[in-house]
Amino acid sequence: MEWTDKLQAIIDYVENHLQRTEEPVNPDEISRLAGCSYSFFQKVFSYMNGISFADYIRFRKLTLAGYDLKSTQSKVVDISYKYGYESPTSFTKAFKQFHGISPAQSRNEDAQLKVFPKMKAAVTRQYSWRLISGAPFRLVGRRTKINCSNGQQYSKVPEFWSKCQKDGTIAELLAMDNGNPKGLYGLFGYFDEASETSDYMIAVESTQQADDGYNEILIPDTTWAVFDCRGAVPQAIQDGWKYLTEEWLLKYPFRHADCPELEWYSEGNNYDENYLSQIWIPIIEEK
């Protein structure tokens, strides 16, 4: 399930609990729907929407409480308990801060109340992305050093892929691939700021012993932000990196885990307009 789909499911869950079951929102259920810890979800929600999850729930409660006061004869004390306030006094204080008038005043015909509408997650994005937690896995491949100054990686990485295709490296790696699903990885390792160079590795997931000339690396258990890139490579994957560096990382400044960034290339025709490649960013999940 995509992250936006998860967010919409959580929003629907909140509305169902506020309007139908009239039960408190359960952090454990939010965590289950989000596929990550509750604290990490709260951070993502805040980055994506410019409002904390707690404030979103509170604003929705006070909006719905205003509807109840306007359309029913329910007592203020009953409405305060309905929306989880410990006392009518605490409810009245929160209501006045939000609406600017007291619950009693809200029942006047000319009283105007604020409305914080139910949020709707974006249906489409430039790039779909999701958070996944993966078990450790082992990569075997061939490594080189890439000059990243002035964007040279955008030409040097494809040159390395072309070289490995011509000398038979790609074919040998594919024969060792026992990943599920199968596919080739591009791995960005240690970056030297002084020389602006990065280790880059073309690899497959494999349990076979690495032959001479090949390197191996164990990718630890971590949380990944995974981005789907559709289209012919290398353009599709390069456009994906550009989106990450120029837009996504500015909007969602997660802490980077001590783990290489990965590219993943699926089986199939990599010149096809629907070809799937992915970018995996290792994320530190806040506790």
Side-chain angles (χ1 to χ4, degrees):
M1 184 184 291
E2 302 295 340
W3 182 254
T4 48
D5 294 332
K6 292 180 179 180
L7 178 58
Q8 188 62 58
I10 290 169
I11 291 170
D12 293 341
Y13 164 82
V14 168
E15 291 298 315
N16 183 63
H17 274 57
L18 293 182
Q19 297 193 55
R20 296 184 181 179
T21 64
E22 299 179 12
E23 298 172 345
V25 171
N26 186 341
D28 291 337
E29 181 62 14
I30 298 296
S31 179
R32 186 189 70 78
L33 291 170
C36 60
S37 72
Y38 183 62
S39 62
F40 191 62
F41 165 75
Q42 289 177 299
K43 182 175 182 179
V44 174
F45 186 95
S46 178
Y47 281 139
M48 291 182 70
N49 302 295
I51 182 175
S52 72
F53 187 55
D55 279 346
Y56 172 74
I57 294 175
R58 181 164 60 88
F59 293 166
R60 286 298 296 150
K61 285 181 177 181
L62 293 168
T63 295
L64 296 172
Y67 292 154
D68 288 352
L69 286 163
K70 277 288 194 182
S71 61
T72 74
Q73 296 302 314
S74 298
K75 297 179 180 178
V76 172
V77 63
D78 293 332
I79 293 175
S80 66
Y81 291 140
K82 175 182 177 180
Y83 291 106
Y85 286 87
E86 295 181 354
S87 69
T89 301
S90 61
F91 170 70
T92 297
K93 181 179 179 180
F95 190 93
K96 193 168 184 178
Q97 286 178 338
F98 181 72
H99 291 286
I101 57 176
S102 69
Q105 292 171 324
S106 72
R107 281 181 156 152
N108 296 334
E109 258 187 58
D110 59 348
Q112 294 186 356
L113 299 178
K114 286 180 62 177
V115 174
F116 193 91
K118 174 186 174 182
M119 189 175 292
K120 184 176 182 181
V123 176
T124 57
R125 287 176 174 270
Q126 183 177 357
Y127 289 89
S128 63
W129 64 283
R130 58 197 176 277
L131 296 178
I132 64 171
S133 295
F137 59 98
R138 176 176 174 269
L139 294 179
V140 174
R142 195 174 296 276
R143 180 179 295 161
T144 189
K145 194 169 288 292
I146 298 292
N147 191 323
C148 300
S149 62
N150 300 316
Q152 290 188 60
Q153 68 270 24
Y154 291 116
S155 61
K156 297 300 182 182
V157 168
E159 287 176 10
F160 183 54
W161 277 86
S162 179
K163 175 180 179 296
C164 289
Q165 182 71 50
K166 292 176 181 178
D167 66 16
T169 297
I170 298 295
E172 292 177 0
L173 288 173
L174 291 175
M176 290 190 284
D177 186 2
N178 54 21
N180 183 24
K182 294 180 180 295
L184 288 160
Y185 287 86
L187 181 152
F188 284 92
Y190 172 73
F191 178 74
D192 187 319
E193 293 187 4
S195 62
E196 295 188 70
T197 59
S198 175
D199 291 336
Y200 185 81
M201 182 176 177
I202 298 175
V204 293
E205 187 175 347
S206 180
T207 56
Q208 295 185 32
Q209 182 175 352
D211 295 333
D212 291 342
Y214 286 95
N215 305 98
E216 62 179 84
I217 182 172
L218 181 65
I219 303 298
D221 181 2
T222 192
T223 299
W224 303 90
V226 178
F227 299 81
D228 289 344
C229 303
R230 292 284 180 179
V233 294
Q235 191 62 52
I237 203 83
Q238 291 181 355
D239 289 345
W241 280 114
K242 184 176 181 180
Y243 167 72
L244 261 70
T245 56
E246 295 182 0
E247 296 184 43
W248 189 85
L249 289 174
L250 297 178
K251 190 173 183 181
Y252 311 120
F254 296 124
R255 292 173 60 200
H256 197 292
D258 186 18
C259 180
E261 296 172 342
L262 300 177
E263 300 168 335
W264 181 76
Y265 300 89
S266 64
E267 292 186 303
N269 179 7
N270 56 15
Y271 295 106
D272 189 273
E273 63 179 9
N274 291 315
Y275 176 77
L276 173 64
S277 55
Q278 294 175 337
I279 298 172
W280 294 23
I281 305 295
I283 299 299
I284 293 178
E285 185 171 341
E286 300 289 349
K287 302 297 184 182

